Amino acid sequence: ITVHVDQPTVELSESLYGLFYEDINYAADGGLYAELVQNRSFEYYPVQGRNNRRDSFRPLYAWDKVETGGGQCDLSVEHSESLNTHNTNYVQIRIQKPGDGVGIANRGFDGIYVVEGDRYDFSFYAKRTRDFDSPVTISLESESAPIAKAILPKLTDQWARYEVSLSPSATVNDARLLLTLGGTGDVCMDMISLFPRKTYNGRKNGLRADLVQALVDLKPAVFRFPGGCIAHGQGLDNAYRWKDTVGDVAMRKPNWNLWGYHQTYGLGYYEYFQLCEDIGAEPLPILPVGVSCGFRKPFQNAEMGKLQEWVDDATDLVEFANGPVDSTWGKIRAEMGHPEPFHLKYIGLGNEDHHTAEFEERFPHFVRALREQAPEIKIVGTSGLGHEIPIYEFMNRQGCELSDEHYYESPEWFIDNADRFDDFDRSKTKIFVGEYASRGNRLYNAVAEAVYLTGIERNADIVQMTAYAPLFARYGFTQWQAADLIWFDEKSVVRTPNYYVQQLFSVNKGDHYLKNESEFTLAPSEDNPPAIGQVGVGTWATESIYDDIQVSDGNKSLLSDDFSNGSANWVVEEGDFSIVDGGYLQSDSAAVPATSLSQTRFHSPNLVYSLRAKKIR
Ligand code: AHR
């Protein structure tokens, strides 16, 4: 490779390598959000997500009834004396016979992982409703044996929050959290929570330290959140409305997740902004534009007469992030513990929305309102799913600074399309490749993505940001198995080959792209020497990075699309490779001199090839 260090071409944007975070594959509850209790406020119900239906979700999902030593109780989920109007359900325990203790136990996300000697902060809201007058025991148990225990003071007949810390005597990943009662009477409970003290940066209501560390190690410049499809939702009621996700966690309004599960919103916009600070990334929130997801019914558009509340969500978000502490939303940010602004610079509008008349009608209202209120904010539009980028031109006409295009394609597609941006019009809206992946976590996929990123860097004057997708997947809880950047379970984190490619490019990002030329030889490995003059025999070239080579004599292409039957349907194709050192191609029927190479795909079980090529960019 010859690199012309004295010939910089384009500047690489500071924000070129970012992250896309969506709550898919249990990336939030059961993932990044360190809460160990599942369904802590009894708000689960059956859901029909994009990929799966979960009838088993019920208000007592993940909870068991506990009756020990002859004890008996009835459990019911009530809502007549709710904690508040957003958090309507709570559990009521009616003690028939106390025995050695009755109550409830939570299984977490298929077992709670705790570490011996670490601290865990338990909290809940409770009140007694009849003459219950006994203490409440909080314990962790594994295989029916207690590993931590604490006794809480007596309850009153008003809702109140109680907390206590636990320190387990063993490290286990199958613990249950038990709340047990002696005596007689009724007890109501809600917002039952257990957090490890060791969250990232030790924050209350915090995030899993090992998962955040995996993000920090990627040195991301920008963080797109909270989706993805969940941003605009499966029907408007399902859209991600950020105002439901801030303030006291007990006051947040949970929603179901279109990937087929539930969201507590305990990890909400405040926590996302804080996470961005922690990992050193610019926040890029994605807001719905009053148009629900176009891939799954019901397709809904906010009535024009009611669009203002959706537009207000965008302008109020700027105030929440950047406004003074005496502004309506800046005050809430300050009360949550962050009087300083979050310095929001970008807002994304829409996600893969279909190019409908309704979308075209609504989108400009958001652009206008944001320009008026905060002209310094850069607007990121949406180009859609698929490399045809159906609504890029519309985003360009709207004057968006960037537009977000997505594709999930084969590794071959990424290799074939490394030159995708070479001919883009430089005067138009810049590009954010906000979701991409080559549908696999094998090394080959990672290499294909690396090839693509070289093309992006060469075109970094038009491509300003990128992000792989999806980011997280919890084993056993996935809706998107094909490829995810980081896999995890309750205690371990797996960084994929794709992760290391992202890290390689991000951590070593340069300031400028330098003109370069590379020269390479297609050669067999030393372990497997070929016959003289041959460098590869009978392989499906689509399985290797050599699959992007076509041989031609300058005018006429000398390779067919498919050599599998030994026949040759030559295709004429201009190329940007040239043979510098002879070589020949041979099918089982003919030997073919080769003089130049271009980019297209070929494969042949019978092909013998021997090439030396020079690629000039
Ligand atoms: O990354 C998973 C999904 O793929 C996103 O939610 C959506 O934007 C895309 O179609």
Side-chain angles (χ1 to χ4, degrees), residues 236-251:
L236 290 175
D237 284 348
N238 185 239
Y240 197 106
R241 308 295 295 269
W242 71 267
K243 289 173 182 169
D244 292 339
T245 77
V246 296
D248 179 353
V249 285
M251 291 290 291

Side-chain angles (χ1 to χ4, degrees), residues 345-367:
K345 297 193 178 103
Y346 303 97
I347 283 201
L349 295 177
N351 172 69
E352 296 180 0
D353 293 288
H354 291 192
H355 197 183
T356 59
E358 290 81 3
F359 178 80
E360 277 217 10
E361 190 182 5
R362 285 156 183 74
F363 191 90
H365 290 267
F366 291 79
V367 176

Side-chain angles (χ1 to χ4, degrees), residues 47-116:
V47 296
Q48 168 68 70
R50 258 186 71 166
N51 293 0
N52 58 343
R53 179 169 182 83
R54 289 293 298 272
D55 286 320
S56 58
F57 284 145
R58 302 277 162 193
L60 282 171
Y61 186 86
W63 292 97
D64 301 318
K65 182 165 34 169
V66 176
E67 292 173 326
T68 56
Q72 279 177 6
C73 67
D74 295 327
L75 302 184
S76 62
V77 173
E78 307 289 338
H79 51 264
S80 56
E81 294 174 38
S82 303
L83 198 54
N84 58 63
T85 51
H86 290 167
N87 197 334
T88 51
N89 288 352
Y90 58 90
V91 69
Q92 180 156 345
I93 303 166
R94 291 172 188 274
I95 304 163
Q96 310 297 349
K97 276 200 274 171
D100 292 339
V102 296
I104 51 173
N106 190 270
R107 299 186 295 273
F109 296 85
D110 287 355
I112 295 176
Y113 172 62
V114 289
V115 177
E116 180 185 346

Side-chain angles (χ1 to χ4, degrees), residues 19-20 224 404-406 432-436 465-469:
L19 299 174
F20 163 52
R224 174 176 176 250
D404 176 11
E405 62 176 54
H406 300 167
F432 173 27
V433 183
E435 292 181 31
Y436 72 93
M465 296 180 188
T466 60
Y468 182 96

Side-chain angles (χ1 to χ4, degrees), residues 48-342:
Q48 168 68 70
R50 258 186 71 166
N51 293 0
N52 58 343
R53 179 169 182 83
R54 289 293 298 272
D55 286 320
S56 58
F57 284 145
R58 302 277 162 193
L60 282 171
Y61 186 86
W63 292 97
D64 301 318
K65 182 165 34 169
V66 176
E67 292 173 326
T68 56
Q72 279 177 6
C73 67
D74 295 327
L75 302 184
S76 62
V77 173
E78 307 289 338
H79 51 264
S80 56
E81 294 174 38
S82 303
L83 198 54
N84 58 63
T85 51
H86 290 167
N87 197 334
T88 51
N89 288 352
Y90 58 90
V91 69
Q92 180 156 345
I93 303 166
R94 291 172 188 274
I95 304 163
Q96 310 297 349
K97 276 200 274 171
D100 292 339
V102 296
I104 51 173
N106 190 270
R107 299 186 295 273
F109 296 85
D110 287 355
I112 295 176
Y113 172 62
V114 289
V115 177
E116 180 185 346
D118 278 3
R119 284 264 150 216
Y120 293 84
D121 293 320
F122 168 86
S123 65
F124 81 152
Y125 285 80
K127 64 172 182 169
R128 56 177 198 172
T129 53
R130 274 193 289 149
D131 50 354
F132 179 78
D133 194 30
S134 306
V136 181
T137 304
I138 310 301
S139 56
L140 285 164
E141 70 166 36
S142 170
E143 293 178 355
S144 305
I147 54 171
K149 190 179 254 187
I151 312 280
L152 285 175
K154 291 186 180 174
L155 307 178
T156 70
D157 48 15
Q158 297 298 317
W159 281 114
R161 186 171 182 275
Y162 302 83
E163 58 183 31
V164 70
S165 99
L166 299 168
S167 182
S169 58
T171 297
V172 298
N173 62 1
D174 65 349
R176 293 194 310 162
L177 173 71
L178 279 76
L179 296 88
T180 49
L181 316 162
T184 53
D186 294 355
V187 172
C188 300
M189 300 175 176
D190 204 352
M191 285 299 289
I192 300 170
S193 170
L194 184 72
F195 266 88
R197 179 88 44 98
K198 287 182 184 162
T199 55
Y200 194 79
N201 276 348
R203 295 193 194 291
K204 292 251 180 223
N205 194 47
L207 308 183
R208 243 179 83 168
D210 54 352
L211 293 177
V212 177
Q213 191 59 49
L215 304 185
V216 171
D217 293 346
L218 283 170
K219 212 176 155 204
V222 64
F223 186 81
R224 174 176 176 250
F225 68 96
C229 292
I230 72 161
H232 51 190
Q234 193 166 310
L236 290 175
D237 284 348
N238 185 239
Y240 197 106
R241 308 295 295 269
W242 71 267
K243 289 173 182 169
D244 292 339
T245 77
V246 296
D248 179 353
V249 285
M251 291 290 291
R252 298 188 191 178
K253 192 176 171 189
N255 203 344
W256 65 283
N257 181 315
L258 64 65
W259 296 110
Y261 55 98
H262 284 272
Q263 312 169 87
T264 62
Y265 289 152
L267 167 51
Y269 259 61
Y270 178 84
E271 290 77 20
Y272 283 127
F273 280 130
Q274 206 169 41
L275 172 64
C276 289
E277 282 192 340
D278 284 348
I279 65 177
E282 296 292 349
L284 168 44
I286 303 298
L287 296 174
V289 294
V291 175
S292 73
C293 184
F295 292 105
R296 186 85 195 190
K297 286 181 184 168
F299 308 126
Q300 291 176 335
N301 303 298
E303 284 170 33
M304 287 308 290
K306 294 188 177 155
L307 191 67
Q308 193 56 42
E309 69 178 70
W310 296 80
V311 174
D312 289 347
D313 278 1
T315 49
D316 290 344
L317 181 62
V318 178
E319 187 176 289
F320 177 72
N322 295 351
V325 296
D326 56 359
S327 62
T328 310
W329 288 100
K331 183 163 180 273
I332 293 174
R333 180 193 73 238
E335 284 165 358
M336 289 183 76
H338 204 288
E340 313 76 27
F342 282 118

